[in-house]
């Protein structure tokens, strides 16, 4: 993901899965802005920064 200067890998897969699950579970709406906020928060938990 360009946002974190990462190439495809484990961290990207984890973040994508977390976003998908959050949308499916109704935790966040299926909107780009909300998904971006969610990814940034979850990436912080993995030690990633923008």
């Amino acid at each position: 993901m360009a946002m974190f200067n990462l190439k495809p890998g484990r961290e990207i897969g984890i973040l994508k899965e977390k976003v998908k699950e959050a949308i499916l579970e109704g935790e966040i709406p299926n909107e780009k802005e909300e998904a971006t906020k969610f990814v940034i928060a979850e990436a912080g938990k993995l030690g990633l920064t923008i």
Side-chain angles (χ1 to χ4, degrees), residues 10-47:
R10 181 175 138 337
E11 291 87 3
I12 300 302
I14 291 169
L15 291 173
K16 286 175 71 175
E17 187 64 27
K18 286 183 179 268
V19 169
K20 183 175 85 172
E21 288 298 317
I23 291 170
L24 291 174
E25 295 294 325
E27 294 176 29
I28 61 171
N30 189 7
E31 298 173 357
K32 184 177 180 177
E33 185 176 318
E34 292 298 319
T36 301
K37 290 178 189 177
F38 182 81
V39 166
I40 291 169
E42 290 298 315
K45 294 176 186 178
L46 294 174

